[in-house]
Amino acid sequence: MTTVVDLSGFRTQRLTLPGGERTWTVLGSDHRVVGPAEEYLEYLRVQKASPNTVKSYGRALALWWQYLDVFGLAWDAVTLEDFGGFLTWLRTGDGPAVVPIEPGRSRFEESTVAVRLRAVLSLYTYHQLNGVDVGRDLSRITQRRGGNYKPLLEHIARRKGRRRAVIRVRQPRAAAPPTLTPRQIDLICDACASWGDEAREWQGSVRNRLLWALLAESGLRLGEALGLQHRDWHTGRGDTPFIEVVTREHPHEVRAKSGYRRLYVSDEVDRLYGEYVWQLCEAGADLITDDFDASYVFVNLEREPRFAPWKPDSVYDLVDRLRRDLAGQVPAGWTPHWFRHSHATALLLSEVPMHVVSRRLGHADVQTTMNTYAHVTEDAELRAVADWSKLTASWRAALDAEPIGPC
């Protein structure tokens, strides 16, 4: 057992299961597993929830049990008032004997408070459905839905009503997702590797350039890109090259969040992948495995163990270095996820239909895409700062070849 997160009595701890899988649980001040929390986390594991989801929910439940301990509450005898107190405690950290003179700075962002509350409410919903007499007052049945948007078959749902949580965290309207301009994307890619006209070969790290070029052109999440295996990359043979996003276990706990989908890529990115595979084979990567197709695309090149799957932490080390090297030329706080937002923005400003963008991003519902990027089509300034149409010119044929049905 390793990686203990101390919460003054209650904490989350990483476990290695008999099958080798890594997960998280909640321990009490007596160093024993907190039964109700572990029962719910096991339910998440059975439902094949991401290890990161189990970790996040475990942290929330450890905070909840710490709150119960501080205020002398029993987990199965709490009231709505206690849940309201939990929100206050998350923000301030003040115990029952503390009366603040003036409001201080919140310990967590409101988005984090909302995530923690959602995990606790899910725990109580689970136990209520299993016959434990808790959580009855945490939700109510509503007969109408606010807002203009009405989902498919909303008229049927109104007959029975919808279950909605009574305790909620009101968050400010989310700001527009951050993006990188085509020029900034080129700067990041060129800082990793560039083509030498005199030497007639790539100079620098082709692997690093391939990662950023792929993220910019496909809209993949970082975990989805790191989870790619060579058998998922279907190089062009006179037709449009594409990659397949496949849900599978990964040694560094990254996975495809949205399940399977097929994404077409440009010939330029496909050629860059071909150059990278050639370099891998020259370095002997194909000789250390019986099945090169089943090995991961993005692997260690300098660090040991060589050719092992690339860690997300190593990617963020690269991001830190590129931020320093390109200081003043690219936004100081950019992250790999900005490429995903830039991809969606570029497509929408190039008048690609919303449902195509949603399918390409792997959103479960097109409404998610609309909520996140609704501002894009009306933002004339975005059109002015970059020639997005030029950026997506090589993607158009691939997008036209996207299948109509769900991927």
Side-chain angles (χ1 to χ4, degrees), residues 71-145:
F71 286 82
L73 303 173
W75 83 274
D76 54 354
V78 290
T79 64
L80 287 178
E81 182 181 359
D82 296 326
F83 281 91
F86 177 58
L87 297 182
T88 301
W89 179 80
L90 282 177
R91 296 180 179 114
T92 67
D94 295 336
V98 177
V99 179
I101 299 176
E102 58 183 21
R105 184 177 179 180
S106 178
R107 294 194 299 166
F108 300 103
E109 297 289 341
E110 286 301 286
S111 58
T112 303
V113 173
V115 171
R116 301 296 186 242
L117 175 63
R118 184 163 60 247
V120 173
L121 294 179
S122 297
L123 166 88
Y124 278 86
T125 299
Y126 165 80
H127 282 289
Q128 182 188 12
L129 293 175
N130 277 278
V132 181
D133 189 21
V134 294
R136 289 180 299 170
D137 299 328
L138 298 181
S139 61
R140 61 186 176 187
I141 303 297
T142 59
Q143 299 297 328
R144 64 184 301 273
R145 183 186 181 98

Side-chain angles (χ1 to χ4, degrees), residues 196-248:
D197 290 329
E198 295 184 2
R200 304 298 298 171
E201 63 182 9
W202 285 97
Q203 299 173 346
S205 175
V206 173
R207 177 201 62 180
N208 296 354
R209 183 185 178 100
L210 175 63
L211 175 65
W212 305 128
L214 179 63
L215 293 183
E217 186 165 305
S218 65
L220 286 173
R221 303 172 179 90
L222 176 60
E224 292 172 336
L226 296 182
L228 287 175
Q229 297 181 353
H230 290 286
R231 58 184 170 182
D232 301 327
W233 196 299
H234 300 265
T235 191
R237 299 180 180 86
D239 53 1
T240 305
F242 65 91
I243 60 174
E244 293 180 295
V245 181
V246 180
T247 300
R248 59 169 65 96

Side-chain angles (χ1 to χ4, degrees), residues 179-180 185 214-220 263-264 338-348 357 360-361 373 388 391-392 395 399:
T179 60
L180 296 163
I185 292 173
L214 179 63
L215 293 183
E217 186 165 305
S218 65
L220 286 173
L263 298 174
Y264 292 91
W338 285 35
F339 286 87
R340 180 172 169 84
H341 294 319
S342 302
H343 178 80
T345 299
L347 294 181
L348 292 171
V357 178
R360 192 165 175 85
L361 294 177
Y373 302 105
W388 294 102
L391 176 66
T392 59
W395 309 350
L399 287 167

